Amino acid sequence: MTFGITLILLSIIAVPSLLLSKKPNAKELLDKIEPYQGWIGIIFCFYGVWGGIIFSILNLGWITTFPIWWVTLLAGSLVQAVLGFMLGFSLINKFVLSKNEAAKEKAVALREKLAPKQGKLGIVGLFVGAWMIVASILFF
């Protein structure tokens, strides 16, 4: 359930235009969060990588016992890792990639590819996060 809640929160941060169209006073809250957006993105990126790649691979046995939950966890964590990377890109670029020009260029190219899809991925994250909450109640 924690993965689902955190994915929904991250998706709300990633899709500010959708949130602003529904609640006009949300701009104040988003302005307060904006200075911390990079750090939030980095934390969620690592949290998504841990849950999506490492945790799912360590628990491959769940495919036979909880296949729907395993796929849900993997999908949600991958969306979370990508959204976290997109939001935390400026800090990742500043602290991690600043010394290696080749890695920096590859990261910039990846970011340019993913940037137009951030809004759509945020909406997908909202639905996947909601499904993760429902699935955690149904299957556990």
Side-chain angles (χ1 to χ4, degrees), residues 75-94:
S77 298
L78 289 174
V79 170
Q80 191 170 32
V82 172
L83 281 175
F85 173 77
M86 292 168 72
L87 291 175
F89 179 75
S90 61
L91 286 178
I92 292 171
N93 198 13
K94 180 179 176 183

Side-chain angles (χ1 to χ4, degrees), residues 5-139:
I5 293 169
T6 56
L7 181 57
I8 289 173
L9 293 175
L10 181 65
S11 298
I12 289 171
I13 294 171
V15 191
S17 59
L18 177 69
L19 186 63
L20 290 175
S21 66
K22 302 289 182 191
K23 290 196 163 263
N25 61 351
K27 180 157 177 51
E28 298 167 6
L29 179 62
L30 290 173
D31 287 341
K32 290 179 184 175
I33 293 174
E34 191 171 345
Y36 308 106
Q37 183 174 335
W39 289 108
I40 292 169
I42 288 175
I43 291 168
F44 279 112
C45 181
F46 286 119
Y47 192 57
V49 167
W50 169 254
I53 298 169
I54 298 170
F55 191 73
S56 295
I57 290 173
L58 290 175
N59 293 300
L60 275 175
W62 287 5
I63 291 176
T64 58
T65 53
F66 304 110
I68 296 172
W69 175 246
W70 188 85
V71 171
T72 300
L73 180 64
L74 180 64
S77 298
L78 289 174
V79 170
Q80 191 170 32
V82 172
L83 281 175
F85 173 77
M86 292 168 72
L87 291 175
F89 179 75
S90 61
L91 286 178
I92 292 171
N93 198 13
K94 180 179 176 183
F95 292 125
V96 179
L97 304 174
S98 62
K99 295 175 183 150
N100 188 346
E101 287 300 319
K104 191 175 185 180
E105 290 174 13
K106 287 181 184 178
V108 168
L110 179 64
R111 171 72 172 131
E112 289 173 358
K113 247 196 259 185
L114 294 174
K117 299 174 179 146
Q118 181 174 337
K120 292 176 186 173
L121 193 62
I123 293 171
V124 168
L126 289 171
F127 287 114
V128 173
W131 169 246
M132 287 179 86
I133 293 171
V134 171
S136 69
I137 292 169
L138 291 176
F139 300 117

